[in-house]
Amino acid sequence: MMLNTLPSAVVGPLLGQRILIVDDVEEDRILLTDFLLRQGCRLYVAKDGQDGYRKAQSVQPDLILMDIRMPVCDGIAACRLLKANPGTHAIPLIFLSAAASTEEKIAGLAAGAVDYVTKPFDFEEVRLRLCVHVKSNAQGRSQQEAGEPEWPQNGTSTLDVVLFQATRRLLLEALDQTLGLNELAAAVGTNARRLNAAFKHCAGVTVFDFLREERMKEARRMLSETALEIGAIAREVGYGSAANFSTAFRERFGMPPSQFRR
């Protein structure tokens, strides 16, 4: 749904900017829409992360304001999907949330958000941050148009690819951790069966077959390029013991890591 009631005398950097608000709290949506309409914005609203993800693809807003704690699909999961989709990855996203802990702020920024504003809103702060990021986004789009495209232009922006790319990024950033399949699926707003299907379609393997191969590739690199002890490398790629790591490495490469290093 778009809200577009522009005051005739409005001028300023937000005039005409397309803003998508994603929040499950109706009162907060009303407060934001009322304030931003008075700034001359063109507004779209969504009630949860899945709704926001779908609308971002069709609307292509200039900026997204998104709550974190929402039903169906939370803001961080939706952000990961948006950043994994070549059609929406460049849209700046600001989290607006009462979740003000340092850990949640870090998680939001790590997922790809450009900023974080806590509730209750200071509307002047919201306006200033919107102005900053709308300007930065315009500059970024100009630079991207002048250079090489960041994503392959091969028409592969399907949900399978988005789920695969978002989960792949999570796995590669935390090779030393072993997340459950349900936990991984929830982190990208889907279910375990759907996530495994996406990996089989995109990579030809299950999620954990993919993870095992990436761990072995990183272990091989570390054995070749670093002086870390084998036990330390084992921990870095998610193995609880050097013995288990050595067995897995030998099965993959036909020799134990000690022999490979020599």
Side-chain angles (χ1 to χ4, degrees), residues 166-208:
T167 308
R168 176 180 178 273
R169 179 181 175 186
L170 277 175
L171 293 172
L172 295 182
E173 288 176 349
L175 285 176
D176 60 332
Q177 301 176 30
T178 301
L179 301 176
L181 186 57
N182 289 329
E183 187 178 359
L184 278 170
V188 294
T190 189
N191 58 64
R193 182 177 179 182
R194 184 70 183 81
L195 186 60
N196 253 335
F199 267 71
K200 288 180 179 178
H201 180 263
C202 294
V205 295
T206 67
V207 173
F208 289 115

Side-chain angles (χ1 to χ4, degrees), residues 7 20 34-35 47-48 52 63 69-70 86 89 98 109 159-160 178 186-187 190 198 209 214 227 232 240-241 250 254:
L20 173 61
D34 179 65
F35 172 74
K47 297 181 180 180
D48 60 60
L63 192 141
R69 296 177 180 175
M70 296 182 289
H89 80 282
L109 296 173
L159 179 57
D160 276 349
T178 301
T190 189
D209 286 338
E214 291 300 318
S241 73
R250 184 171 56 249

Side-chain angles (χ1 to χ4, degrees), residues 88-253:
T88 56
H89 80 282
I91 302 171
L93 184 150
I94 296 176
F95 278 129
L96 294 166
S97 180
S101 72
T102 300
E103 292 77 10
E104 286 183 293
K105 288 183 178 180
I106 291 171
L109 296 173
V114 296
D115 213 336
Y116 196 114
V117 179
T118 56
K119 297 178 181 179
F121 307 126
D122 180 322
F123 287 110
E124 181 60 16
E125 179 185 9
V126 172
R127 188 188 69 80
L128 289 173
R129 295 200 185 193
L130 280 172
C131 290
V132 168
H133 293 297
V134 162
K135 181 178 179 181
S136 296
N137 189 44
Q139 293 171 344
R141 284 180 178 177
S142 298
Q143 292 169 359
Q144 185 172 339
E145 288 170 2
E148 292 296 321
E150 181 180 345
W151 289 79
Q153 305 299 306
N154 57 4
T156 58
S157 57
T158 64
L159 179 57
D160 276 349
V161 174
V162 170
L163 290 173
F164 171 73
Q165 293 284 13
T167 308
R168 176 180 178 273
R169 179 181 175 186
L170 277 175
L171 293 172
L172 295 182
E173 288 176 349
L175 285 176
D176 60 332
Q177 301 176 30
T178 301
L179 301 176
L181 186 57
N182 289 329
E183 187 178 359
L184 278 170
V188 294
T190 189
N191 58 64
R193 182 177 179 182
R194 184 70 183 81
L195 186 60
N196 253 335
F199 267 71
K200 288 180 179 178
H201 180 263
C202 294
V205 295
T206 67
V207 173
F208 289 115
D209 286 338
F210 175 86
L211 174 60
R212 186 182 306 112
E213 179 64 16
E214 291 300 318
R215 282 173 165 171
M216 289 295 101
K217 286 163 59 177
E218 178 62 9
R220 182 178 59 185
R221 185 196 69 78
M222 294 178 78
L223 286 165
S224 299
E225 300 178 9
T226 77
L228 285 174
E229 295 181 354
I230 290 174
I233 293 174
R235 291 189 294 275
E236 287 290 323
V237 296
Y239 285 85
S241 73
N244 289 341
F245 168 65
S246 294
T247 298
F249 192 91
R250 184 171 56 249
E251 290 175 352
R252 175 63 181 82
F253 296 112

